[in-house]
Amino acid sequence: MRMTEGEAFETFKTIRWVETEGKPICPRCACAAVYSYKARRIFKCKGCNKQFSVTTDTIFASRKMEIRNILAAIAIFVNGAKGHSALQLSRDLDCQYKTAFVLYHKIREALASKETNQKVSGEVEIDGAYFGGYIKPANYKEHRLDRRTRYVQNGKRRVVVIMRERNGRTLPFVFKSEVASISTIEKHVAAGSTIYADDANSWDALHAKYLTKRVNHSVAYSDNGACTNMAESFFSRVRRAEIGIHHHIAGAYLNSYAAEMAWREDNRRVSNGELYLIATNAALTSPVSRQWKGYWQRAV
Ligand SMILES: [Zn+2]
């Protein structure tokens, strides 16, 4: 936070253009011959004559916020063990909640974009946990309904299904039910892997394609090496983020939060400073977001 805007600009340049040690390259024609201006922090390509800035064509394009504040936001985001809420960020940076909300979602998208289409292999733990769709019980006991029955539920409940390689990466996906996740699991878990799962019926279909070991949690948490403890510890982190930080994780963005937590879980032993560089680099090498660009100006 002690950085001046000029120093922050130099940091952004070196992170975005790592290969040329911070020398700008035109994002349109990849030309390295570039004019820089004294008065403003922008560049002009000698090849195509177009002007560009350090955030052009990145997830932070069309920003109004100072680079210094964006760097501070990334640092604050990375430092939160259970995540960090947009409301807190808006107070930290003295910006609008809406700005903080979109900024954080852009960082989440950038981090998640490096993870899509990944595969896991070897020993893979699979499990699901349900989020959202809370039904408040009625005040008087006699008015309360059985919230497990379908017609009482509001249809907003979603399940996060996790594929977690033991001592490896974590891939979360969101579905309406665990059964709906089978084809995605088959796509992302390499053939020949061993799958560990609990004894929920949803996972029966996996036996056809993988060596699948099950553990009945009402008997034991770990039975002869069959356990889903790594998967459970991921859910523990998501649950803590939900209860402790965000209070409510809306169904539409559940996948973003799950991906963020997977990133935190996979990088839990990586130092703060390094995480900060990873996150900034991911943001500056991710294209303009289709979902989050102009989010508050969108036609609903
Ligand atoms: Zn150019």
Side-chain angles (χ1 to χ4, degrees):
M1 288 301 271
R2 278 191 293 269
M3 262 186 197
T4 64
E5 180 67 2
E7 285 164 349
F9 174 68
E10 291 303 319
T11 310
F12 244 48
K13 266 169 59 186
T14 43
I15 295 174
R16 174 157 190 195
W17 293 296
V18 179
E19 307 84 42
T20 52
E21 289 165 348
K23 278 190 66 191
I25 295 168
C26 173
R28 287 180 186 83
C29 65
C31 176
V34 164
Y35 302 105
S36 29
Y37 294 79
K38 276 218 174 74
R40 295 181 60 204
R41 293 190 181 94
I42 52 168
F43 310 102
K44 186 173 169 184
C45 174
K46 291 183 185 175
C48 66
N49 265 334
K50 288 265 167 48
Q51 288 186 339
F52 61 95
S53 82
V54 70
T55 50
T56 297
D57 282 355
T58 73
I59 209 149
F60 298 133
S62 331
R63 74 197 155 79
K64 295 181 195 77
M65 191 180 255
E66 287 186 351
I67 294 174
R68 200 165 68 112
N69 283 344
I70 292 179
L71 280 175
I74 297 174
I76 296 168
F77 178 88
V78 161
N79 285 347
K82 298 185 283 272
H84 192 259
S85 76
L87 185 68
Q88 265 176 295
L89 183 72
S90 73
R91 290 170 185 168
D92 293 338
L93 296 186
D94 195 18
C95 68
Q96 270 195 48
Y97 168 75
K98 286 175 161 185
T99 311
F101 176 81
V102 166
L103 183 57
Y104 265 178
H105 270 297
K106 284 179 176 172
I107 298 173
R108 285 187 191 104
E109 184 183 293
L111 292 175
S113 71
K114 308 289 165 199
E115 300 283 322
T116 43
N117 301 321
Q118 298 287 348
K119 273 197 168 194
V120 288
S121 58
E123 298 190 296
V124 180
E125 295 184 8
I126 285 182
D127 201 5
Y130 285 83
F131 291 85
Y134 178 73
I135 311 279
K136 199 171 187 176
N139 182 23
Y140 288 106
K141 191 163 182 273
E142 63 263 33
H143 297 158
R144 286 179 204 161
L145 302 163
D146 184 352
R147 288 180 289 163
R148 289 166 302 182
T149 55
R150 183 166 297 185
Y151 75 96
V152 178
Q153 290 174 357
N154 57 16
K156 289 184 182 169
R157 207 160 169 69
R158 291 289 178 277
V159 61
V160 175
V161 171
I162 187 75
M163 299 157 215
R164 187 159 193 198
E165 212 171 74
R166 284 194 184 159
N167 307 312
R169 68 169 64 245
T170 310
L171 299 181
F173 293 91
V174 176
F175 302 95
K176 277 198 163 176
S177 68
E178 284 185 345
V179 175
S181 71
I182 299 295
S183 63
T184 310
I185 292 175
E186 289 175 349
K187 231 178 273 167
H188 289 272
V189 179
S193 306
T194 308
I195 284 185
Y196 296 94
D198 60 25
D199 67 340
N201 301 338
S202 343
W203 312 127
D204 289 350
L206 293 172
H207 284 270
K209 199 163 176 197
Y210 302 98
L211 170 62
T212 307
K213 297 184 178 173
R214 312 284 284 272
V215 55
N216 183 344
H217 282 160
S218 60
V219 177
Y221 293 119
S222 173
D223 190 13
N224 255 331
C227 75
T228 55
N229 291 350
M230 296 280 286
E232 303 291 354
S233 74
F234 165 77
F235 286 128
S236 158
R237 196 184 282 260
V238 187
R239 207 57 91 180
R240 280 155 205 245
E242 183 193 28
I243 294 168
I245 304 289
H246 302 293
H247 300 180
H248 175 76
I249 296 181
Y253 308 123
L254 181 56
N255 56 352
S256 319
Y257 291 103
E260 175 196 337
M261 288 305 145
W263 183 80
R264 289 186 194 280
E265 190 73 20
D266 288 348
N267 293 299
R268 66 199 180 282
R269 305 266 183 260
V270 177
S271 76
N272 252 182
E274 215 169 312
L275 286 181
Y276 171 70
L277 291 177
I278 294 173
T280 313
N281 183 264
L284 289 179
T285 51
S286 291
V288 176
S289 170
R290 289 171 62 187
Q291 187 183 4
W292 295 105
K293 181 195 174 193
Y295 180 78
W296 297 109
Q297 288 90 47
R298 74 201 188 283
V300 183

